Amino acid sequence: AAVRTQIQAGVRGNWAQLTALASASPACAVMPAEAGWYAVVQVPALASEETIVLDLLETTGVLVHPGYFFDFEREAFLVVSLLPEPGVFASAARALFGRIGAAQ
């Protein structure tokens, strides 16, 4: 129970951080979620999801999954883990939105 409570608190905090940062990036949207420890971020389809994911990894060191890994029918969605330590997560989320904003 103690571990579950810690995971839930971390996921909720990271979710709140992600949605707050996304609100400052009007071209991106965090999709609604009912449960889980992943978040789905819709980004502008300026390139394929694979290109976006590789660019993020190469330029910022941030690793996310493309939506097609989860059978999304269209682009462009990124799947983000909400499990990292809050400080690491916040830094990665800022880098993600900064890079997406710079690509527009």
Side-chain angles (χ1 to χ4, degrees):
V3 171
R4 182 178 62 234
T5 301
Q6 289 175 343
I7 291 171
Q8 287 174 332
V11 166
R12 285 185 181 127
N14 286 345
W15 173 266
Q17 182 75 291
L18 185 69
T19 56
L21 290 167
S23 70
S25 183
C28 300
V30 178
M31 306 310 292
E34 294 180 17
W37 49 50
Y38 288 103
V40 177
V41 179
Q42 186 173 14
V43 298
L46 302 174
S48 71
E49 289 174 341
E50 184 171 346
T51 299
I52 294 168
V53 167
L54 290 174
D55 177 69
L56 280 169
L57 182 59
E58 291 170 359
T59 60
T60 68
V62 173
L63 177 61
V64 298
H65 299 294
Y68 70 80
F69 277 14
F70 297 84
D71 295 326
F72 282 81
E73 294 182 13
R74 60 184 175 85
E75 297 200 8
F77 296 95
L78 306 178
V79 179
V80 179
S81 173
L82 296 171
L83 291 174
E85 184 273 328
V88 170
F89 182 85
S91 176
R94 282 191 295 276
L96 183 156
F97 290 118
R99 184 65 183 167
I100 297 298
Q104 294 180 8

